[in-house]
Amino acid sequence: ATERTFSIIKPDATERNLTGAVNAVIEKAGLRIVAQKRILMNRREAETFYAVHKERPFFGELVDFMISAPVVVQVLEGDNAVVKYREIMGATNPESAAEGTIRKLYAKSIGENSVHGSDSQENAKLEIAQFFSGNEIVG
Ligand code: CMP
């Protein structure tokens, strides 16, 4: 079924001018970018977004990284979008990511891994709502 997922093009990718390269992989996979904006996240937004990871040892590093440079937040739409986007992102650790995936192509490390994608339809709805109002999404 047609569904939506939430994506972030992370600071390591925006700093290397890879926004278009990442978007090309997304569009080639048949996902449509139905909302997109470049923002500088503030600490509170990043901490809220990654609240599920707040007890992890890398939480502070993760938040510092996500606010270190602009990110591009996106809503992607398509058939089976949540699972499809996770497939084309590849594994969290780029060393384990499959050939042709965004993280295999572009990620620098497990932390600076170029993209985020929602892990479920439920989280996609919550994440989209954190960054976009309804009238900013045009399918
Ligand atoms: P993301 O999909 O955005 O969700 C949580 C993020 O935490 C993950 O991508 C990684 O960027 C980051 N992360 C996961 N494991 C580690 C780790 N061991 N060290 C640093 N960052 C990590």
Side-chain angles (χ1 to χ4, degrees), residues 6-15 18-24 26 33 36-39 41 65-66 69-74 76 85 102 113-117:
F6 178 73
S7 163
I8 304 177
I9 303 177
K10 296 186 182 184
D12 67 284
T14 64
E15 284 209 295
L18 292 171
T19 299
V22 171
N23 280 348
I26 290 169
I33 302 165
Q36 172 170 263
K37 57 189 173 189
R38 180 172 163 105
I39 61 169
M41 258 194 225
F65 168 61
M66 292 301 289
V71 298
V72 176
V73 291
Q74 305 176 306
L76 309 181
Y85 190 45
I102 294 167
N113 64 355
S114 300
V115 281
H116 165 85

Side-chain angles (χ1 to χ4, degrees), residues 8 29 32 39 43 53 110 118 120 125:
I8 304 177
R32 303 184 68 84
I39 61 169
R43 186 168 293 278
H53 296 303
I110 191 168
S118 307
S120 66
K125 288 196 175 72

